Amino acid sequence: MGEGAPWLTIIGLGEDGPDGLTGASRAALEAAEIVMGPQRHLSLLPDLPGQRVDWPVPFADGLNLLAGYAGRRVVVLASGDPFWFGAGSVIARRFARAEWCVLPGPSVFSLAAARLGWPLEQVLCLGHHAAPLTRLRPYLARGVRMIVTLRDGAAVADLGQYLTGLGFGASILWVMEALGGPREAVTQSQADAVTGAFSHPVAVAVQIDGDGAALPRASGLADGFFDSDGVMTKRPVRALTLSALAPKPHEVLWDIGGGSGSVGIEWLLCHPTTEAITIEPRADRIGLITANATALGVDRLRVVEGRAPEALGDLPTPDAVFIGGGLSAALLEWLYGQLPTGTRVVANAVTLESEAVLIAAHRVRGGALLRIDLSEAAALGPRTGWKAAYPVVQWSVVL
């Protein structure tokens, strides 16, 4: 190993073992002093001069073990393309760029698309070997094609039941075991009729079909998508609120006074890189918010029990703040004193007292003040009339 050369090589190994490796990968294996990897991968290798080391469970323990071999010739075995839902990115975060190199193989997604003749650029590729199936929820709509890696063979039946429970039981599944190796098997089934035992490693290609309800891409999901105790920002006002908050990739939201969590949840649905923290003072609503977030596929919503501003001090700095409950002049002053210039703040008021707080803030701080008056057609005796909702005053400002 030359001076300054990487001591660590990450090799993407397929189910066909060394038969599918390039010359460079073969040479790295033969020169390695240490070969680390899961037992399944190590078992595919022929006799080699290097010492074999099982990667421990949990995965994080292997990073410290690997660090102890620094400076020696080390190969780490990963599945297919180590940087597509693989171990490569975790290892790369731990070690300096000059310490490692990678020799990838074909990913399971490429192999699955090749078996079915699917254009991979039009297919949703998801790694769910360590994630709950509920994270699929935002993507479920008739005609969507996806390839999903699963934790084990038993998860195939779980996937079929999950899709069926949401009305997508007519979806077609191609269960793919050990793609690219001598044990490769592809089994086609309908989601509501999945039977049989399947072996790890397993991926499932899915063409979504059925009468299930797809989540709209526009802001303002129907209220029925959320469980609520009656306190929530209703669909039309929520759509206007999200429009004013203007979520962008990688941004963080504080949702103060979560209620059912609907605003924070829709913020997260806008983009997979967004973050949201809901601050809710009532303990009995914490479980409700969490359940709504999980059911709609955004279990990354963080829920903090407490009152603002006391509960805000240790939270990550937000890009936007929504105040749906607990509005006061003191809270607004705290936000102005603590948050950086450029933070977007949107506050909704229903009572006269909270409306007065927003009018005063608008007079001093500027921004935009909007009054939202909505009426819905409802029965009026034998006829139909307009039933007015409480008007909402919305103030939006950039600090």
Side-chain angles (χ1 to χ4, degrees), residues 349-368:
V350 177
T351 67
L352 292 175
E353 291 79 5
S354 55
E355 180 179 325
V357 171
L358 294 188
I359 292 172
H362 176 257
R363 184 181 302 117
V364 175
R365 307 290 189 181

Side-chain angles (χ1 to χ4, degrees), residues 122-142:
Q122 299 176 18
V123 177
L124 188 63
C125 298
L126 299 168
H128 276 255
H129 44 280
L133 292 173
T134 50
R135 292 188 189 172
L136 297 175
R137 185 64 184 95
Y139 310 111
L140 299 181
R142 182 182 295 177

Side-chain angles (χ1 to χ4, degrees), residues 65-380:
L65 183 61
L66 179 59
Y69 298 130
R72 303 175 68 181
R73 291 187 178 91
V74 181
V75 164
V76 169
L77 300 177
S79 294
D81 185 345
F83 285 90
W84 201 348
F85 298 107
S89 60
V90 180
I91 297 172
R93 285 197 299 269
R94 174 64 182 270
F95 300 99
R97 180 63 189 87
E99 295 184 82
W100 56 267
C101 64
V102 61
L103 300 172
S107 73
V108 66
F109 303 106
S110 296
L111 294 173
R115 299 299 183 271
L116 297 175
W118 285 1
L120 194 56
E121 74 276 4
Q122 299 176 18
V123 177
L124 188 63
C125 298
L126 299 168
H128 276 255
H129 44 280
L133 292 173
T134 50
R135 292 188 189 172
L136 297 175
R137 185 64 184 95
Y139 310 111
L140 299 181
R142 182 182 295 177
V144 169
R145 286 177 171 178
M146 61 176 65
I147 300 170
V148 185
T149 61
L150 297 176
R151 68 176 186 275
D152 54 30
V156 175
D158 296 339
L159 174 61
Q161 293 169 8
Y162 178 68
L163 294 173
T164 301
L166 290 172
F168 296 103
S171 300
I172 303 301
L173 274 57
W174 291 266
V175 184
M176 301 180 173
E177 303 168 79
L179 281 176
R183 295 192 300 112
E184 177 177 314
V186 179
T187 305
Q188 182 176 335
S189 176
Q190 195 161 289
D192 57 8
V194 175
T195 58
F198 303 99
S199 299
H200 180 74
V202 62
V204 180
V206 188
Q207 181 149 325
I208 302 297
D209 199 359
D211 298 324
L215 298 186
R217 288 302 184 182
S219 297
L221 295 181
D223 296 340
F225 281 111
F226 304 93
D227 285 334
S228 171
D229 60 3
V231 176
M232 68 180 295
T233 304
K234 299 299 176 63
R235 182 183 62 81
V237 175
R238 193 179 338 114
L240 290 170
T241 299
L242 266 296
S243 177
L245 287 169
K248 303 176 184 66
H250 299 282
E251 287 194 330
V252 178
L253 171 73
W254 285 358
D255 176 13
I256 299 175
S260 66
S262 60
V263 170
I265 288 170
E266 289 217 43
W267 172 279
L268 293 175
L269 287 171
C270 288
H271 198 271
T273 64
T274 52
E275 300 177 46
I277 305 168
T278 292
I279 299 91
E280 172 54 54
R282 284 182 47 172
D284 58 323
R285 287 185 179 147
I286 302 298
L288 177 67
I289 295 170
T290 301
N292 279 331
T294 299
L296 294 172
V298 287
D299 54 276
R300 68 185 191 275
L301 176 67
R302 178 180 172 187
V303 185
V304 174
E305 182 181 348
R307 295 185 178 277
E310 293 80 8
L312 305 178
D314 296 328
L315 300 183
T317 302
D319 299 281
V321 178
F322 171 59
I323 307 172
L327 175 66
S328 68
L331 174 58
L332 295 180
E333 286 300 317
W334 188 93
L335 295 175
Y336 260 91
Q338 299 295 321
L339 297 184
T341 298
T343 305
R344 306 186 297 279
V345 175
V346 177
N348 289 351
V350 177
T351 67
L352 292 175
E353 291 79 5
S354 55
E355 180 179 325
V357 171
L358 294 188
I359 292 172
H362 176 257
R363 184 181 302 117
V364 175
R365 307 290 189 181
L369 203 59
L370 178 70
R371 180 181 167 95
I372 307 166
D373 286 297
L374 297 170
S375 297
E376 188 174 358
L380 185 61

